[in-house]
Amino acid sequence: MEPGSSTDVSIVIPTHTEKRWASLARTVASAHAQTHPAAEIVVVVDHNPEMAGRVRREFPGVTVLENAYARGASGNRNTGAFHTRTPFIAFLDDDTVASPSWLAGQLAPFADPSVVGTGGGIIPAWSARRPTWMPDELLWAVGVSYTGMPTRTAPIRNVWSANMIVRRDAFLAVGGFRAGFGKVGDQNRPEDTELCLRMSSAAGGRWMYVPGATIDHEVPAERSTFGFLMRRCYAEGRGKVQMAGLMPKDQELGAEKDYLRRILPRAVARNLADAGTGRGMYHALRAATALLDSAARPRSHPEN
């Protein structure tokens, strides 16, 4: 497929297991339903030939590829992205549902040539009730937007690959997602953050966050437990330590410092102040959870 208009965009959806078939079907349907139609929808299957055959049979009008690289999200996304020929490449996870105006809204900032990528708001679709003890500042742990992020379109250091659009030439210039670095098995390394930093550094460009360009992201019941939250906080901290080792020594993790120094303390202070209301235990639990999140994170050095 050759590039067409300047706003032509392809959507890449990585997937790996038929256990998420119903979710994948909803994701593909939402990709087809965009007010700004995608030039191509690409589903990439991660080393699962049987599933790839089923996707080909049951999703007409969708390009189906198999991961050409090592198992994992980075290789899966790169396989799809390198196949595309449109000026922009959008990424969705296979457990998300994009709002109809998602593409249109998130493409708008690219009118500025300095913008190399965009991300949008991610809304939790809880399969069970949201835990009462989880403060809004910790919603990142289940892969959705959290308190502390911009509330209107604004520059941002990085976005999440569950809801991301990149300028294709800038993406290709850095070689895409870093091979061998990302989410594989029980490893949870921030391949999307690492990509954002490389793209903005190489191109001298910036990322924009468009909170109104939303997707719904499924949150299964097993991710609504306190044990999952603590494991996720530890894995995130460990992943950021590993990411820091790949970065130039003079490039600091400023967003992480800001989160630990400003956003989490505000969460603790707000909930402690609200603990005197009629829902005192509720707010006390949220304050305690925010403190435990900070304690659970490994540091790359005393300031990170």
Side-chain angles (χ1 to χ4, degrees):
M1 173 178 292
E2 293 301 318
S5 73
S6 60
T7 57
D8 275 358
V9 57
S10 300
I11 300 175
V12 174
I13 304 169
T15 191
H16 68 286
T17 175
E18 289 187 87
K19 293 179 180 178
R20 291 164 77 158
W21 186 265
S23 297
L24 174 64
R26 289 191 288 269
T27 305
V28 171
S30 73
H32 278 299
Q34 293 299 301
T35 57
H36 180 108
E40 185 177 23
I41 298 171
V42 184
V43 174
V44 189
V45 184
D46 194 4
H47 296 278
N48 187 337
E50 292 78 13
M51 183 179 181
R54 184 181 177 188
V55 176
R56 290 189 181 97
R57 292 191 301 271
E58 298 194 25
F59 292 112
V62 169
T63 300
V64 182
L65 304 175
E66 296 185 56
N67 187 357
Y69 304 96
R71 187 183 304 276
S74 294
N76 227 25
R77 293 191 184 100
N78 282 346
T79 297
F82 295 161
H83 160 85
T84 66
R85 293 293 182 270
T86 51
F88 301 100
I89 308 167
F91 296 97
L92 284 174
D93 279 0
D94 65 353
D95 56 354
T96 65
V97 174
S99 61
S101 60
W102 164 66
L103 275 184
Q106 208 159 298
L107 283 168
F110 287 105
D112 179 348
S114 71
V115 174
V116 296
T118 61
I122 306 180
I123 301 169
W126 302 93
S127 62
R129 289 186 61 185
R130 173 183 167 172
T132 57
W133 43 262
M134 182 179 288
D136 294 343
E137 288 80 1
L138 290 184
L139 287 174
W140 63 264
V142 294
V144 303
S145 300
Y146 59 93
T147 294
M149 298 182 73
T151 56
R152 53 186 171 182
T153 299
I156 196 168
R157 188 196 70 174
N158 65 275
V159 301
W160 290 327
S161 52
N163 183 359
M164 172 189 285
I165 301 180
V166 297
R167 199 179 291 274
R168 185 174 186 272
D169 55 0
F171 179 85
L172 295 183
V174 300
F177 289 95
R178 185 180 292 274
F181 186 80
K183 299 172 180 63
V184 184
D186 61 354
Q187 294 181 327
N188 202 322
R189 294 171 294 192
E191 78 280 359
D192 35 21
T193 302
E194 196 272 341
L195 170 72
C196 292
L197 290 171
R198 277 190 294 120
M199 284 181 61
S200 56
S201 176
R206 59 180 180 155
W207 290 80
M208 296 294 289
Y209 178 64
V210 188
T214 60
I215 65 169
D216 292 337
H217 193 180
E218 295 179 15
V219 183
E222 59 267 24
R223 296 187 181 181
S224 301
T225 67
F226 190 77
F228 171 83
L229 175 64
M230 290 296 100
R231 292 191 298 273
R232 181 71 179 85
C233 290
Y234 180 82
E236 180 72 7
R238 184 177 181 183
K240 290 293 175 65
V241 170
Q242 294 170 328
M243 185 184 74
L246 300 172
M247 296 164 55
K249 298 300 182 183
D250 59 349
Q251 190 169 9
E252 297 183 345
L253 301 184
E256 284 73 18
K257 292 181 181 179
D258 184 63
Y259 180 80
L260 290 171
R261 293 174 177 173
R262 182 177 64 87
I263 297 174
L264 274 187
R266 284 184 182 178
V268 174
R270 187 184 71 252
N271 281 286
L272 286 177
D274 290 342
T277 68
R279 304 181 72 188
M281 183 58 69
Y282 164 89
H283 290 292
L285 284 172
R286 287 193 167 195
T289 302
L291 286 171
L292 287 169
D293 166 48
S294 179
R297 292 163 173 264
R299 268 62 163 178
S300 55
H301 58 72
E303 290 191 348
N304 275 354

